[in-house]
């Protein structure tokens, strides 16, 4: 964004001539925003002359200079009419003056000029700013500072930097009353226009003034020069003033030709889909229901906050004007500007969330410029203003809070001085020996910039100078990191990948809906996506098992054995809350044979690696339709359910694998595994005395659990050091029985066991197994 230093000093009590511009630029960068560059621009009035159009032909235009009493022939232009005044450059061949000649970077031909007859012979040259500085502020650095999108806001900052006074706003606006209304105002005797805000979500404030008579003027040369240097096109005086006000105060406004608004009912509303609107640049756009428009009745006459419509545009024939200035929602404006590819100077400012209380001042500034230019007009006595200003933001900050955040001591009067120079209202008080500032944030800083005490610290710090703050290295506490979860994750994945020869999968976070239909399973308590990218991915996973089964279905045709695992997140609804957890799931598949105990032995290796004593308990009613009801176990650790494991039903395997096969699937709470810390292992000296080993075979009921039998045997005598199942089998003719063989080891740390002692322990084991229905074989 380009700014003029002369323009800035319109608002500051000071002189540009005595200014050190490079130093100002450097300080501005340190305190306020980035500056991409600056340049000094000069204008030599002797290289130009003011001419009057004498004759117009399709190819040429004859003009006459009163100053030099000479006629020139120039190329034709569409806006030339006899009697119109234009500026002509006299370097080499005479040519129409352009904005580049005044310091701009865009080659725009200057419009017709209005000049007092007494000045046409050359007196106009003394009224032009012949020297100025154009500074280019980086737009990105002021995205959060809507007040800096106008010369007055920048002047406020520069005045504070230079320790100069800012001219009061009252010196730049007319004194005019406003009639306040909520969302609508009716027409009256002197004001034929009614107005209503029908889309309050898009417009919370709207101001309007009817000007029943105004004399159309060509552009004023001083205004043309300033606008040209900032690459803003001049058109005619009334349009130029609206642009000038926007660049001056930062508040966009618009002027309608009031005679071209037949219904006399102005509405701010959402557009109707498919409606057409021809804009001032001549392009016709098709509106959507997301667009906000200013309408004449129900007919759009402006794309709100972006560009006016051609049907109500100001021209040289305009005699009555309707002025409008509003506060529009920044998100709606940004979306419409992007959709229609119509990002304008106005839309760029509205996108920043402007001061909502500044729109009335823009209309008053417009009238002030008309008065200063001596343009005759009549206007309604009151400005119609819809919507109330928001409540002022008040922040309480302790002085010690500011000092602690900046790391240096500051005098309280310095804090007050800084804040008041940028228009913050400060009340200082002492409570319990603490200095507290009650700060009222001006509305032009409260929309998105200053909201919390830390923002006040930033305001004080940037004017004190960040380069003056003490340089202190940040404290870095040297405490050891807890890498337990990292090591556990690596250990588990290493065992699964290398020890068990499993391949890790990386699946989607969504259920595959076609796969769920194949499995005939409907998940519960799942998180449903509001805007899914596909109808096949609409719900977040609550379990990883369907993805593993899908992997088997896609790869079993080419492999006889498959082993997959996945470590990922799952989500589940718990009331209105979404619970996110880590899960570990795996599957073993074999075309030939693979039973429950083979899968259990493989999975048990992971628990042994973690030193977790996990018990496998029967689970006849699995939550998953693909699990075999009598070959699925619940995994328990210290009374907590940590997962499940078991065989996949044969019918499910046949449905997903063309060649059939067997599959063992498991899923474990990964968060529980990560939180678990294995018990501290201490070295126990080996016994000096030999151990005795005995095997025992029994025939026992099939439902009897192995873990139960082992625990019962261990509890018989403290000298039984280990019990292990070394064989089991069953025969059809045994019906509900199975054969099991246990290996029992006995030892005493104090002595060698005698034969009688061994026989006594062994007999107790036999008696215990018989009491449990076992038959010794």
């Amino acid at each position: 964004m380009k700014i003029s230093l002369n323009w800035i000093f319109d608002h500051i009590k000071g002189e540009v001539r005595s200014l050190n511009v490079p130093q100002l630029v450097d300080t501005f960068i340190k305190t306020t925003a980035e500056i991409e560059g600056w340049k000094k621009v000069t204008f030599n009035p002797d290289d130009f002359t003011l001419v009057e159009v004498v004759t117009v032909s399709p190819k040429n235009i004859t003009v006459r200079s009163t100053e030099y009493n000479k006629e020139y022939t120039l190329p034709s232009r569409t806006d030339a009419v006899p009697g119109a005044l234009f500026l002509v450059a006299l370097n080499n061949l005479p040519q129409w003056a352009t904005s580049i000649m005044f310091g701009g970077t865009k080659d725009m031909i200057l419009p017709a000029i209005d000049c007092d007859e007494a000045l046409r012979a050359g007196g106009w040259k003394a009224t032009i700013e012949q020297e100025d500085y154009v500074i280019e502020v980086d737009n990105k650095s002021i995205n959060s500072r809507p007040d800096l999108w106008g010369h007055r806001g920048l002047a406020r900052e520069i005045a504070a930097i230079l320790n100069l006074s800012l001219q009061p706003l009252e010196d730049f606006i007319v004194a005019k009353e406003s009639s306040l209304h909520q969302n609508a105002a009716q027409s009256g005797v002197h004001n034929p226009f009614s107005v209503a805000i029908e889309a309050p979500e898009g417009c919370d404030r709207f101001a309007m003034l009817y000007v029943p008579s105004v004399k159309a003027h060509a552009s004023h040369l001083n205004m043309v020069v300033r606008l040209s240097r900032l690459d803003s096109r001049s058109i005619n005086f009334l349009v130029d003033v609206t642009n000038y006000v926007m660049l001056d105060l930062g508040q966009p406004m618009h002027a309608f030709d009031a005679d071209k608004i037949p219904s006399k009912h102005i509405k701010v509303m959402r557009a109707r889909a498919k409606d057409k609107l021809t804009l001032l640049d001549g392009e016709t756009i098709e509106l959507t229901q997301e667009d906000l428009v200013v309408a004449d009745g129900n007919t759009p006459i402006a794309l709100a906050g972006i560009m006016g419509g051609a049907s109500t545009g100001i021209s040289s024939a305009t005699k009555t004007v309707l002025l409008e200035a509003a506060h529009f929602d920044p998100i709606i404006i940004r979306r419409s500007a992007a959709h229609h590819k119509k990002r304008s100077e106005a839309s760029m400012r509205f996108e920043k969330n402007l001061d909502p209380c500044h729109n009335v001042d823009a209309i008053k500034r417009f009238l002030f410029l008309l008065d200063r230019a001596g343009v005759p007009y009549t206007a309604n006595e009151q400005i119609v203003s819809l919507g109330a200003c928001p409540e002022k933001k008040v922040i309480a900050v302790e002085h010690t809070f500011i000092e602690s955040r900046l790391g240096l001591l500051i005098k309280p009067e310095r804090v007050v001085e800084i804040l008041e120079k940028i228009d913050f209202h400060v009340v200082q008080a002492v409570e319990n020996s603490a200095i507290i500032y009650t700060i009222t944030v001006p509305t032009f800083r409260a929309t998105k910039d200053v909201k919390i005490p830390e923002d006040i610290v930033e305001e004080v710090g940037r004017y004190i100078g960040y380069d003056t703050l003490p340089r202190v290295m940040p404290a870095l506490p040297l405490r050891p990191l807890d890498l337990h979860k990292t090591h556990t994750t690596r250990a588990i994945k290493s065992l699964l990948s290398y020890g068990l020869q499993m391949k890790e999968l990386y699946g989607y976070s969504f259920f595959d809906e076609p796969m769920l239909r194949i499995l005939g399973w409907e998940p519960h308590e799942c998180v449903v996506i509001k805007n899914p990218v596909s109808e096949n991915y609409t719900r977040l996973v609550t379990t990883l098992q369907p993805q593993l089964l899908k992997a088997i279905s896609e790869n079993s045709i080419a492999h006889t054995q498959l082993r997959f695992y996945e470590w990922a997140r799952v989500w589940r609804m718990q009331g209105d809350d979404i619970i996110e957890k880590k899960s570990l799931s795996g599957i073993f598949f074999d075309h030939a044979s693979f039973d429950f105990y083979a899968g259990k032995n493989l999975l048990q290796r992971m628990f042994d690696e973690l030193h977790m004593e996990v018990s496998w308990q029967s689970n006849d009613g699995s939550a998953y339709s693909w699990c075999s009801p009598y070959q699925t176990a619940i995994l328990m650790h210290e009374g907590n359910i940590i997962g499940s494991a078991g065989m996949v039903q044969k019918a499910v395997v046949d449905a997903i694998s063309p060649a059939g096969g067997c599959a063992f699937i498991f899923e474990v709470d990964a968060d529980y595994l990560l939180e678990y810390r294995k018990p501290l292992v201490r070295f126990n000296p080996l016994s000096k005395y030999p151990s005795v080993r005995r095997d025992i075979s029994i025939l026992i009921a099939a439902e009897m659990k192995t873990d139960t039998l082992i625990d019962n045997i261990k509890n018989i005598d403290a000298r039984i050091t280990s019990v292990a199942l070394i064989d089991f089998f069953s025969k059809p003719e045994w019906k509900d029985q199975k054969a099991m063989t246990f290996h029992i080891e006995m030892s005493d740390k104090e002595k060698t066991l005698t034969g009688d002692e061994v026989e006594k322990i062994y007999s107790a084991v036999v008696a215990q197994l018989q009491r449990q229905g076992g038959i010794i074989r």
Side-chain angles (χ1 to χ4, degrees), residues 60 65 139 253 272 274 327 329 346 391 415 421 430 496 521 535 708:
N60 299 311
S65 167
N139 288 356
M253 64 178 303
R272 295 176 300 188
K274 305 295 184 179
H327 181 255
D329 179 76
E391 293 184 6
V415 173
K421 273 188 172 294
V430 178
L496 297 177
W521 181 69
E535 63 181 5
T708 302

Side-chain angles (χ1 to χ4, degrees), residues 67-250:
E67 179 182 2
Y68 297 114
N69 194 23
K70 189 175 180 179
E71 289 190 353
Y72 304 97
T73 301
L74 297 170
S76 180
R77 55 188 292 172
T78 58
D79 58 344
V81 294
L85 301 177
F86 292 93
L87 206 61
V88 170
L90 298 177
N91 290 333
N92 298 321
L93 295 175
Q95 55 181 314
W96 302 114
T98 65
S99 57
I100 289 181
M101 299 173 184
F102 290 88
T105 59
K106 294 183 179 180
D107 193 11
M108 300 178 293
I109 194 168
L110 298 191
I113 303 297
D114 181 76
C115 182
D116 190 277
E117 190 170 351
L119 302 175
R120 296 180 185 180
W124 61 270
K125 295 181 178 181
T127 66
I128 301 300
E129 294 175 340
Q130 299 183 17
E131 184 178 288
D132 196 0
Y133 292 91
V134 175
I135 300 173
E136 189 166 359
V137 182
D138 176 39
N139 288 356
K140 297 185 293 296
S141 66
I142 56 175
N143 274 338
S144 62
R145 291 289 304 273
D147 61 308
L148 298 185
W149 284 78
H151 281 75
R152 181 166 180 83
L154 290 160
R156 185 182 296 107
E157 293 287 321
I158 291 175
I161 291 172
L162 300 176
N163 199 26
L164 298 174
S165 298
L166 187 71
Q167 299 275 18
L169 181 62
E170 288 71 20
D171 292 351
F172 298 90
I173 60 177
V174 300
K176 200 168 191 65
E177 295 291 330
S178 296
S179 60
L180 305 179
H181 307 269
Q182 188 171 0
N183 286 322
Q186 300 299 319
S187 58
V189 177
H190 301 291
N191 178 21
F193 288 89
S194 62
V195 61
I197 298 176
E198 294 188 355
E201 76 284 356
C203 175
D204 54 2
R205 281 180 58 80
F206 188 91
M208 180 183 76
L209 177 67
Y210 177 51
V211 181
S213 69
V214 63
K215 185 177 180 181
H217 273 263
S219 297
H220 284 214
L221 192 53
N222 276 321
M223 193 172 289
V224 170
V225 171
R226 281 194 171 180
L227 293 176
S228 296
R229 286 173 178 166
L230 304 185
D231 292 335
S232 180
R233 181 183 296 276
S234 294
I235 298 173
N236 58 55
F237 181 70
L238 292 178
V239 174
D240 291 352
V241 173
T242 62
N243 292 329
Y244 193 92
V245 170
M246 175 179 65
L247 297 177
D248 189 42
L249 300 183

Side-chain angles (χ1 to χ4, degrees), residues 682-691 745 747-750:
R682 296 185 180 276
F683 173 73
N684 290 321
L686 298 176
S687 176
K688 300 178 183 179
Y689 307 99
S691 60
E745 189 167 342
S747 68
D748 193 320
K749 294 182 179 180
E750 304 295 332

Side-chain angles (χ1 to χ4, degrees), residues 695-699 726 739-742 762 769 775-777:
D695 293 339
I696 185 170
S697 296
I698 61 172
L699 192 65
I726 59 175
M740 307 179 73
T741 301
F742 293 97
Y762 184 77
L769 293 175
I775 301 173
I776 308 302
R777 303 183 66 207

Side-chain angles (χ1 to χ4, degrees), residues 269-296:
M269 54 182 267
R270 291 283 190 171
R272 295 176 300 188
K274 305 295 184 179
D275 272 1
K276 299 291 195 299
L277 174 63
T278 302
L279 300 174
L280 286 170
D281 62 2
E283 183 176 343
T284 300
I285 61 173
E286 183 175 277
L287 299 171
T288 72
Q289 291 179 339
E290 298 299 317
D291 294 324
L292 193 70
V293 296
V294 178
D296 169 24

